[in-house]
């Protein structure tokens, strides 16, 4: 039986954090052998909000090093940079021309992000169409993402179905979002009612960044907002969101079930102990990743070479798909 195709992406905007790792990258690495994988550094998506060009260049290589450091294996997965493969931007235009504007205006991420900005770029609204193309041009069956991207994957399904219906074909595979059972939504340490996010990660105490040193990680956990009580328990009470988030992180990092997690804290003396132990297991998990990332960054030419190999393979899959799409839509393909 042929392997299921998997596609996922991550923006090279720096500040890659524990949520990105537990909600996405770790799961990509864990299931590589069972799947045919495409993992994309989505630099075009990053341009939907203003970027510093030198930083974006640096962060694109740093993300390549990060994905390798997290265990993605170029022999098992096609790892590439979105802008290296022209089919993405080209095919996005074609999809734009079958996607109703109202579908994009309804996206919650667009509504949140645009509310925070004075001037909203067209690209920000169009972001989910570019993402739909990423997925659809590879005939991906599965899209492993954190909870926040579920709506965008559902939109990709809607776009695929609309194209198939309009042109009376089964041209596009209808993709499935794959959301992990634990770690799908890691919350901010400074405010456990909002998700941990890259755009907030410069604020001290908000995020645990994968590249933070152990002292910083310990410090951020120690500052984590909890509550005035002392009960260490999983809870859906908004008052207890801080403790619940810390336990959720511990659960995701250790892979233990809730009973085993609570047993580990049976002898804890208050929230101080809880924070310290969550920090310790997190530091143990992230340290080898940071070290490997830093090691790989010493050889940017090798990173560029690996990305070039990935792009070449990605092109060989997506360009014929986009060419066929053009034919279906009535364009003359030379
Ligand atoms: P981004 O940082 O937006 O490029 O997201 C890359 C991946 O990380 C996506 O699959 C997101 O769903 C996932 N992700 C981002 N933030 C979180 C979070 N706080 N918890 C869990 N997953 C997340
Ligand atoms: N929009 C996703 C995010 O910010 C990244 C992304 C772009 C993606 N293209 C994708 C994820 C295709 C899955 C599939 O998290």
């Amino acid at each position: 039986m042929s392997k299921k195709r998997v596609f996922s992406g991550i923006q090279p905007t720096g500040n890659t954090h524990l949520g990105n790792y537990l909600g996405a990258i770790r799961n990509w690495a864990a299931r590589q052998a069972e799947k045919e994988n495409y993992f994309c550094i989505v630099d075009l998506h990053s341009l939907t909000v203003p970027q510093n060009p030198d930083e974006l260049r640096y962060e694109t290589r740093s993300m390549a090093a990060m994905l390798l450091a997290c265990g993605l294996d170029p022999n098992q997965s096609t790892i590439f940079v979105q802008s290296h493969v022209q089919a993405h931007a080209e095919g996005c235009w074609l999809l734009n021309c079958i996607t109703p504007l109202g579908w994009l205006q309804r996206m919650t991420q667009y509504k949140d992000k645009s509310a925070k900005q004075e001037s909203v770029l067209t690209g920000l609204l169009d972001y989910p169409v570019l993402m739909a193309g990423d997925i659809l041009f590879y005939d991906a069956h599965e899209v492993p993402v954190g909870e926040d991207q579920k709506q965008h994957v559902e939109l990709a399904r809607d776009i695929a179905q609309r194209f198939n219906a309009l042109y009376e074909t089964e041209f596009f595979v209808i993709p499935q979002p794959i959301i992990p059972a634990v770690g799908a939504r890691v919350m901010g340490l400074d405010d456990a009612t909002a998700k941990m996010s890259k755009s907030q990660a410069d604020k001290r105490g908000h995020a645990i960044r994968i590249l933070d040193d152990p002292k910083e990680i310990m410090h951020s956990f120690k500052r984590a907002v909890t509550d005035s009580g002392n009960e260490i328990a999983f809870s859906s009470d908004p008052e207890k969101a801080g403790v619940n988030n810390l336990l959720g992180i511990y659960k995701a990092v250790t892979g233990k079930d809730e009973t085993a997690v609570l047993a580990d804290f049976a002898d804890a003396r208050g929230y101080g102990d809880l924070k310290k132990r969550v920090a310790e297991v997190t530091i143990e998990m992230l340290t080898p990743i940071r070290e490997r990332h830093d090691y790989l960054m010493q050889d940017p030419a090798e990173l560029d070479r690996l990305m070039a190999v990935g792009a070449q393979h990605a092109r060989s899959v997506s360009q014929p798909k986009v060419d066929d799409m053009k034919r279906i839509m009535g364009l003359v393909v030379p």
Side-chain angles (χ1 to χ4, degrees), residues 144-195:
V145 285
E147 180 70 40
D148 62 328
Q149 294 299 317
K150 189 166 175 231
Q151 193 185 38
H152 289 156
V153 182
E154 283 163 356
L155 185 85
R157 290 170 63 88
D158 291 343
I159 293 176
Q161 272 157 350
R162 185 174 170 91
F163 184 93
N164 289 354
L166 275 173
Y167 294 98
E168 297 176 0
T169 129
E170 294 191 359
F171 182 67
F172 283 129
V173 169
I174 313 298
Q176 291 282 348
I178 306 287
I179 315 285
V182 278
R185 197 168 165 82
V186 176
M187 310 307 276
L189 297 183
D190 55 344
D191 172 7
T193 63
K195 72 166 182 180

Side-chain angles (χ1 to χ4, degrees), residues 247-266:
L247 287 172
I249 291 171
Y250 187 88
K251 181 178 172 203
V253 170
T254 60
K256 295 183 177 177
D257 66 20
E258 295 196 358
T259 317
V261 169
L262 295 179
D264 282 357
F265 291 104

Side-chain angles (χ1 to χ4, degrees), residues 27-45:
N27 311 309
W28 307 349
R31 297 164 71 220
Q32 275 176 113
E34 303 153 36
K35 311 281 175 181
E36 180 183 335
N37 313 280
Y38 296 85
F39 297 118
C40 187
I41 300 172
V42 292
D43 53 350
L44 298 174
H45 276 101

Side-chain angles (χ1 to χ4, degrees), residues 7-11 42 45 127 131 134-135 143 145 149 152:
F7 190 104
S8 200
I10 186 161
Q11 300 190 50
V42 292
H45 276 101
Y127 173 121
M131 176 164 162
D134 295 343
I135 299 165
V143 186
V145 285
Q149 294 299 317
H152 289 156

